[in-house]
Amino acid sequence: MATRGAAGSARGTRADEQRQRILAGAVAVFSRRGYRAASMNDVAAQVGLSKPALYHYVANKQALLVAVYEEVLDESTARAEAIVASAPSTREAVRRLLVDRVAYTCEHRDLLTICFEEESELPAELAEPILERRRAFEDVVLGAVQRHLDESGRTLPMAVRTYVNACLGAANWTYKWFDPAGPRSPRELGEDIAAALLPVLDG
């Protein structure tokens, strides 16, 4: 029994690894060609699989796009929750969230390009669960900001969600203009953007 379980676990691990390889290949193809122009043949060629073998792991191109969104949003939420849990203060939690979001965006520009530019390709029934995941991530950031305001007794000159959306918009837009060959690393750029946004919390 134990041997069979171990074998099943190994098969599961190999299948998971293959799906991750396919997802990475899809990201490369979608970011290079655009989702609409890309085909499952392109993805299969990218990862060195036959088209029938590819369909063994993923139902269709739309399912691949959904998987990209799920991967980014689930990872983003997990990172944000870990940052909030480990920060020594509520203000530092907000600062670290902003720095990390900029760094993540700059370091995963292919992924974020797909997420920000291909959302209209998802039908409503598939888009809604993705929007729920996005709200879950945004709520982690909003909660961190609100806890800092409650703790410090400060108020914002705008709705808290407006401030959070403005911060995330500034962080996310770096996928468009960040230059990997520029003078600032992703994390240094995150520090710069956080330094520009945090004074609103301290006012």
Side-chain angles (χ1 to χ4, degrees), residues 64-180:
L64 273 175
L65 183 60
V66 169
V68 170
Y69 278 99
E70 290 176 345
E71 177 101 346
V72 169
L73 291 169
D74 288 351
E75 182 178 7
S76 295
T77 301
R79 287 168 70 110
E81 289 173 342
I83 287 169
V84 171
S86 64
S89 69
T90 54
R91 186 186 188 279
E92 181 62 11
V94 177
R95 191 191 73 80
R96 290 182 185 183
L97 284 169
L98 295 177
V99 173
D100 187 73
R101 188 59 189 172
V102 173
Y104 181 86
T105 301
C106 294
E107 290 165 355
H108 299 83
R109 292 171 70 210
D110 287 352
L111 272 174
L112 275 298
T113 296
I114 296 166
C115 287
F116 294 143
E117 298 184 5
E118 304 292 359
E119 192 171 326
S120 62
E121 299 294 338
L122 291 174
E125 66 272 15
L126 295 180
E128 185 54 37
I130 298 301
L131 291 175
E132 289 177 6
R133 276 179 156 90
R134 179 177 297 163
R135 284 192 288 268
F137 165 68
E138 292 170 353
D139 284 347
V140 175
V141 182
L142 187 142
V145 172
Q146 188 63 63
R147 281 190 293 276
H148 174 66
L149 293 172
D150 293 343
E151 182 181 273
S152 64
R154 293 188 173 94
T155 58
L156 290 172
M158 65 194 81
V160 176
R161 191 171 290 277
T162 299
Y163 174 73
V164 168
N165 286 339
C167 289
L168 292 177
N172 290 337
W173 195 247
T174 57
Y175 91 95
K176 276 285 194 182
W177 56 265
F178 172 69
D179 180 5

Side-chain angles (χ1 to χ4, degrees), residues 23-44:
L23 186 58
V27 168
V29 171
F30 292 167
S31 62
R32 184 174 66 246
R33 294 179 56 84
Y35 173 80
R36 186 167 294 185
S39 70
M40 291 294 275
N41 282 331
D42 295 327
V43 177

